[in-house]
Amino acid sequence: MKIRRVLATAVALAVTTPAALLSVSPAYADAKPAAQTQEKQSKPSIEELEEAVAEAQKAYDKAVEAEAAGRVELDKTFADLSEVDGTHPLALASAAANKAAKDAAAAKTAADQAVTDAQAALDALPEDATEEQKAAAATALSEAQATAATAATTKTAADTAAAEAGKKLTDARIAATRAYGMLQKAVEDALAVKAAADAALAKAIKEAEEGEEGEEGGDCEPELDLTSKVTGLPDKLVAGTSTDFSLRVTNGSDRHMDEVLAFVSVHATDKSGLKDTGKFFRLQWSTKSAPKWQNADADDYIDGVGALKPGAHADVKLRLTLDKATPAGNGVAFFAADFFNEDGSCGGAPDLDMYEFDVKAAGSKPGKTEDVKPSATPRPGNTGTTPQGSASGTPATTGSLAATGSSSATTSIALAGGAAVLLGAAAVFVARRRKRCF
């Protein structure tokens, strides 16, 4: 699954149906893309985020309940599969096979001893033994050898049967353990979704409070001529390496901008699209006014651009470092710019550019930067469509889940899970800019 199908859907739908993104269930696979026909809102309300938190809590509680019931069932299954006193048919069959193998081993030991005794008796005959005595001793040895051969064959068959019965018993235990492991994983995933929803709500509340305290002028307005262009970002990033690229912010308008902030946000998942791997990434920046490399802050805003006159531009150097332990997967980087004037006016680019890239394991060949183009994702409240085009050549999609390339329940559930994990990032992004621009 390409990251576009997870991330773009999360960004497009997080502001209208956050609860749906948190519902990782078969019911989601049958849901219609109603978000396409709903009236788009400019931002997720506190009430919507609270609803998302409530849904995440319910999902987590159900997962914990299922895990507890699964533990009881696992203990019962292991007791039934015990070779000592288990009552499961596989346990009974294994115990019987082991007893048969033990009896066969004892019979073979006795038969081998009989051969040894018969051979000793034949060897002990005196020189003056009669032909009848010699014939009788030889016959006894031959019969003992035949019995020993049969006992050996019986033991081999019994050992094979015991091994097969034991393997079936072990496989049953492994299957039970794996089933319980899935319940444990469901708890972990539900907890991750709950944490993302809690973080999004807390951030939105904080931003709303700060916005109320800091309002000095009218509402911010979109500024199409405030642009941000990226160069040098490859389509593949390799774990254990650093990549330098740049962002040029240009004031193409006829107004003076007292303070311009660049917005840079990087997100990534593993190959499944379900696990957020952002903790392995470190973004740093430097500008002409702040030449020393600085770590990007939690708000993803870069304040080293400064003022921009009409027609002027400023360059931001960026460095993205991936830890050597970064899992292979997919990533995306968002770019935008906002401005704030001393008279209280403000605004920013209504769209954000999205650059898609693959994350490769340590030691892989780095990607190329040629012809890598951004895809402008819609601001919540604009057209409601997802990115038009792709840096990696994947076709554009709309907000419909039907456009993800598969109608199977498995794919839809995976999409829902991936989007749910990234809901926090999408909703927090909206909350960061809501009080400033939109």
Side-chain angles (χ1 to χ4, degrees):
M1 180 194 306
K2 294 298 291 178
I3 190 68
R4 174 180 308 286
R5 296 175 180 171
V6 175
L7 252 178
T9 302
V11 173
L13 299 184
V15 296
T16 56
T17 55
L21 293 178
L22 291 169
S23 180
V24 189
S25 66
Y28 185 85
D30 299 326
K32 303 297 183 182
Q36 282 188 295
T37 61
Q38 293 178 354
E39 181 180 357
K40 301 297 180 180
Q41 301 177 10
S42 62
K43 57 183 177 295
S45 65
I46 298 297
E47 290 74 16
E48 286 174 324
L49 292 176
E50 287 175 340
E51 181 181 353
V53 169
E55 292 294 328
Q57 183 65 55
K58 289 180 182 178
Y60 174 70
D61 291 343
K62 288 181 180 179
V64 171
E65 182 179 351
E67 188 271 342
R71 180 69 211 189
V72 173
E73 186 64 24
L74 179 66
D75 291 342
K76 180 178 181 300
T77 298
F78 265 70
D80 291 341
L81 293 173
S82 171
E83 290 181 294
V84 178
D85 54 2
T87 58
H88 192 281
L90 291 177
L92 296 176
S94 180
N98 286 334
K99 184 178 184 306
K102 183 178 180 180
D103 292 343
K108 181 179 181 303
T109 299
D112 290 342
Q113 184 61 48
V115 170
T116 300
D117 294 343
Q119 183 66 58
L122 179 61
D123 294 341
L125 287 176
E127 294 182 0
D128 58 351
T130 65
E131 291 300 323
E132 290 78 3
Q133 290 176 324
K134 293 179 180 179
T139 298
L141 176 60
S142 178
E143 291 176 348
Q145 290 173 334
T147 299
T150 300
T153 301
T154 300
K155 181 180 182 300
T156 299
D159 289 342
T160 300
E164 291 177 352
K167 183 178 183 303
K168 291 180 180 179
L169 192 63
T170 300
D171 290 345
R173 291 171 179 158
I174 292 175
T177 302
R178 285 177 176 171
Y180 177 65
M182 293 177 65
L183 295 176
Q184 290 180 309
K185 182 64 167 56
V187 172
E188 294 177 3
D189 292 344
L191 182 59
V193 172
K194 178 179 176 298
D198 288 340
L201 176 60
K203 189 67 177 179
I205 292 175
K206 179 181 178 181
E207 293 287 355
E209 292 174 348
E210 292 177 350
E212 292 175 358
E213 294 173 358
E215 286 183 354
E216 296 178 1
D219 292 337
C220 293
E221 61 187 51
E223 178 51 77
L224 297 175
D225 292 324
L226 180 59
T227 60
S228 54
K229 181 180 180 181
V230 175
T231 57
L233 179 63
D235 57 1
K236 295 182 181 65
L237 299 181
V238 179
T241 66
S242 294
T243 299
D244 288 351
F245 57 105
S246 63
L247 173 69
R248 170 163 290 187
V249 180
T250 302
N251 178 11
S253 72
D254 57 1
R255 74 170 86 184
H256 183 278
M257 298 179 181
D258 294 332
E259 181 184 12
V260 175
L261 299 181
F263 177 85
V264 182
S265 185
V266 179
H267 303 284
T269 69
D270 63 359
K271 290 182 178 180
S272 72
L274 301 177
K275 183 178 180 181
D276 187 346
T277 58
K279 66 179 181 179
F280 296 100
F281 288 68
R282 183 174 65 138
L283 180 67
Q284 295 176 292
W285 63 270
S286 69
T287 62
K288 184 177 180 180
S289 62
K292 185 177 180 180
W293 286 107
Q294 301 184 46
N295 292 328
D297 60 25
D299 288 334
D300 295 330
Y301 273 98
I302 295 173
D303 59 5
V305 176
L308 284 181
K309 298 178 180 179
H313 67 263
D315 293 322
V316 180
K317 295 180 180 179
L318 297 168
R319 174 173 293 170
L320 189 57
T321 302
L322 279 64
D323 189 273
K324 190 174 183 180
T326 306
N330 304 290
V332 68
F334 295 108
F335 301 91
D338 296 338
F339 76 89
F340 305 91
N341 290 334
E342 294 180 359
D343 62 4
S345 61
C346 57
D351 296 330
L352 56 141
D353 289 336
M354 184 174 84
Y355 286 76
E356 194 179 357
F357 56 85
D358 293 328
V359 179
K360 299 298 183 181
S364 300
K365 184 178 180 180
K368 300 179 180 179
T369 60
E370 298 92 307
D371 300 323
V372 177
K373 304 294 184 182
S375 295
T377 62
R379 286 285 297 119
N382 281 8
T383 63
T385 59
T386 50
Q388 303 299 312
S390 166
S392 61
T394 55
T397 66
T398 67
S400 170
L401 290 179
T404 61
S406 173
S407 59
S408 70
T410 301
T411 299
S412 297
I413 292 170
L415 173 62
V421 172
L422 294 169
L423 169 62
V428 168
F429 161 71
V430 175
R432 285 175 190 159
R433 302 189 78 201
R434 60 183 291 187
K435 72 182 180 67
R436 292 187 168 103
C437 295
F438 308 100

